[in-house]
Amino acid sequence: QSALTQPRSVSGSPGQSVTISCTGTSSDVGGYNYVSWYQQHPGKVPKLMIYDVSKRPSGVPGRFSGSKSGNTASLTISGLQAEDEADYYCCSYAGTYTSVFGGGTKLTVL
Amino acid sequence: QVQLQESGPGLVKPSETLSLTCTVSGGSITRYSWNWIRQPPGQGLEWIGYAYYSGSTNYNPSFKSRVSMSIDTSKNQFSLKLTSVTAADTAVYYCARDSSDWLHLFDYWGQGTLVTVSS
């Protein structure tokens, strides 16, 4: 079971949009619409931002959106704000009642 | 509001067994799956496995030979045991609830507990 592949870092200026990719295989990301995204600020607990590929939990700003194409899921943050600077992790159901996370992406707001 | 709290030793010797308990308050453990996720210092998240209220469990194949989980519905607690630990098992260990049937919707997390493996 290999970790999903994410870029190590992305950056953007306030107000811009950034997209973080999460690439897996047909056995995980591509095989199920069960992808989620987590935001983690330094020293803090991960926070659920997106689930079921594109659904937002209550309280998560509409600036955060998710999508999927084939074996790659994406998290897009529009109207970037300083508080969005954090690490982001994708997660996918991986079949046979297992789960797999991505390696994480550090988002820097310039 | 559901709350999770990990407890257990913060220091474990190499080759020994890491044991942690997660206590759930504000909600019943007799629904959903209850998971352990870890994060080595400066690294990413790694799913370890889950225990379901019925007692069923499943684990990340990477840990399968060393890990066991259990659940005690009478105490609203679930537990993790990881045997034969090495320095590579040093990490913050989180317990988390998955609100889906598909092991990706981790909506409630404990604060995490750092376990250091060292002699």
Side-chain angles (χ1 to χ4, degrees), chain B residues 3-78:
Chain B
Q3 293 186 313
L4 290 78
Q5 179 65 58
E6 305 89 351
S7 59
L11 181 64
V12 181
K13 290 182 168 54
S15 80
E16 296 191 344
T17 296
L18 178 160
S19 296
L20 296 174
T21 295
C22 182
T23 301
V24 180
S25 59
S28 175
I29 206 170
T30 57
R31 191 180 175 190
Y32 305 123
S33 70
W34 301 90
N35 295 257
W36 289 97
I37 295 162
R38 76 178 187 180
Q39 185 170 35
Q43 297 185 41
L45 300 168
E46 184 174 32
W47 178 78
I48 302 171
Y50 77 83
Y52 199 56
Y53 75 90
S54 63
S56 67
T57 57
N58 203 33
Y59 311 122
N60 183 329
S62 301
F63 296 94
K64 212 152 196 173
S65 62
R66 298 196 296 134
V67 68
S68 63
M69 296 180 186
S70 61
I71 194 162
D72 186 336
T73 56
S74 67
K75 295 181 179 179
N76 247 30
Q77 293 178 334
F78 62 107

Side-chain angles (χ1 to χ4, degrees), chain A residues 1 34-36 38 40 44-46 48 51-52 89 91 93 96-99 101-103, chain B residues 37 39 43-47 50 58-61 94 102-107 109-111:
Chain A
Q1 189 181 53
Y34 300 123
V35 176
S36 55
Y38 298 84
Q40 186 180 35
K44 300 298 186 183
V45 177
L48 176 68
Y51 67 98
D52 290 356
Y89 294 91
C91 177
Y93 179 67
T96 58
Y97 299 102
T98 63
S99 182
F101 282 93
Chain B
I37 295 162
Q39 185 170 35
Q43 297 185 41
L45 300 168
E46 184 174 32
W47 178 78
Y50 77 83
N58 203 33
Y59 311 122
N60 183 329
Y94 295 101
W102 303 102
L103 295 172
H104 75 299
L105 208 170
F106 303 111
D107 55 352
W109 296 63
Q111 285 301 303

